[in-house]
């Protein structure tokens, strides 16, 4: 089963047993970046000089991507282009729900509704099909831990995980400092065209800035 980059990031961040999201804020940024990068790879949008533009409004056939493509087109409107950072800032709080819904529709996770303390409604998404995540983690491990050459989508996924600081979700039990050098090398590699690399750079910059601001707020 081929799932989107956004779904892969979401799947990595969901606890297998409880189905609750781990590192939820960081995951939201990475999921938003994953959808945008997927649209860049599909030739539907471009990133140039930190500006986002729609170059082909034709549907991709993937509901999660096509819904966001139409929203980007409407958001840009007659301007022709707008800042990538502004889209990610606007989008990161809205992408978790539709991405999880897509995983549910595929049968990868299942929705469970409960009430915490018998009052507050809570939704969890435990795994229903472990084969998808198993293949995903094996592919990431081969590239990051074993030095295998990545394809464009896997390299983009590594870059998003690294930029959002999702090392613990993607590689539980591994220390960030042992993962970072290889992930940085993969992210900077010549695995795709300049438009894709520009998109990655801008998304990493936004996620790094947000992470720094979050840490500063926490310790102040």
């Amino acid at each position: 089963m081929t799932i989107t980059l956004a779904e892969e990031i979401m799947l990595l961040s969901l606890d297998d047993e409880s189905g609750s999201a781990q590192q939820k804020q960081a995951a939201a940024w990475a999921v938003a970046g994953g959808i945008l990068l997927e649209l860049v790879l599909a030739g539907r949008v471009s990133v140039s000089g930190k500006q986002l533009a729609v170059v082909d409004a034709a549907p991709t056939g993937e509901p999660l991507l096509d819904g966001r493509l139409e929203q980007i087109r409407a958001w840009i409107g007659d301007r022709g282009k707008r800042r990538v950072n502004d889209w990610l800032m606007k989008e990161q709080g809205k992408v978790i729900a539709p991405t999880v819904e897509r995983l549910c529709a595929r049968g990868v996770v299942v929705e469970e509704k409960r009430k915490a303390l018998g009052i507050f409604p809570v939704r969890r998404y435990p795994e229903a099909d472990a084969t998808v995540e198993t293949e995903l983690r094996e592919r990431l491990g081969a590239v990051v831990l074993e030095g295998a050459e990545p394809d464009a989508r896997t390299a983009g996924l590594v870059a998003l995980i690294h930029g959002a600081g999702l090392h613990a979700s993607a590689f539980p039990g591994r220390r960030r400092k042992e993962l970072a050098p290889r992930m940085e090398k993969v992210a900077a590699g010549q695995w795709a065209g300049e438009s894709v690399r520009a998109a990655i750079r801008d998304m990493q910059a936004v996620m790094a800035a947000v992470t720094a601001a979050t840490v500063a707020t926490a310790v102040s």
Side-chain angles (χ1 to χ4, degrees):
M1 180 188 296
T2 301
I3 64 177
T4 64
L5 291 168
E7 290 171 275
E8 288 180 331
I9 292 165
M10 197 69 248
L11 188 57
L12 291 171
S13 73
L14 290 173
D15 182 85
D16 292 344
E17 297 299 325
S18 70
S20 59
Q22 311 297 307
Q23 297 183 271
K24 189 172 182 179
Q25 183 179 21
W29 283 98
V31 168
I35 291 175
L36 189 56
L37 178 56
E38 195 89 65
L39 289 171
V40 172
L41 290 169
R44 298 307 195 271
V45 304
S46 68
V47 174
S48 179
K50 298 185 179 181
Q51 298 293 314
L52 172 65
V54 175
V55 295
D56 183 355
T60 66
E62 167 51 53
L64 181 63
L65 301 181
D66 291 340
R68 258 43 201 181
L69 177 59
E70 177 58 27
Q71 289 182 27
I72 292 172
R73 188 196 62 75
W75 178 69
I76 292 175
D78 295 333
R79 300 186 187 190
K81 58 186 178 181
R82 292 182 70 172
R83 286 176 58 85
V84 174
N85 294 5
D86 292 341
W87 171 255
L88 292 176
M89 290 285 289
K90 170 183 178 296
E91 184 72 352
Q92 58 87 23
K94 305 174 182 178
V95 291
I96 293 293
T99 304
V100 173
E101 286 172 8
R102 190 68 181 117
L103 286 171
C104 287
R106 294 183 190 276
V108 178
V109 301
V110 61
E111 183 183 69
E112 291 184 352
K113 298 179 181 179
R114 304 176 183 175
K115 286 191 175 181
L117 303 176
I119 301 174
F120 305 105
V122 176
R123 295 185 182 185
R124 295 288 183 263
Y125 300 91
E127 202 166 55
D129 180 1
T131 61
V132 179
E133 184 177 355
T134 297
E135 186 279 332
L136 170 59
R137 290 189 182 277
E138 287 176 350
R139 179 157 48 90
L140 282 173
V143 170
V144 175
L145 304 179
E146 301 171 19
E149 193 68 21
D151 58 21
R153 291 188 76 260
T154 303
L157 178 61
V158 169
L160 290 166
I161 290 169
H162 183 52
L166 290 171
H167 306 78
S169 293
F171 300 95
R174 297 275 184 167
R175 293 181 297 174
R176 179 171 180 161
K177 66 180 182 181
E178 71 175 294
L179 300 168
R182 172 59 179 166
M183 296 180 81
E184 188 66 38
K185 183 177 180 181
V186 170
Q190 300 299 307
W191 45 268
E194 178 55 31
S195 177
V196 177
R197 292 200 299 274
I200 284 291
R201 286 196 298 269
D202 287 343
M203 286 185 279
Q204 284 186 309
V206 172
M207 290 186 284
V210 171
T211 300
T214 301
V215 171
T217 300
V219 300
S220 61

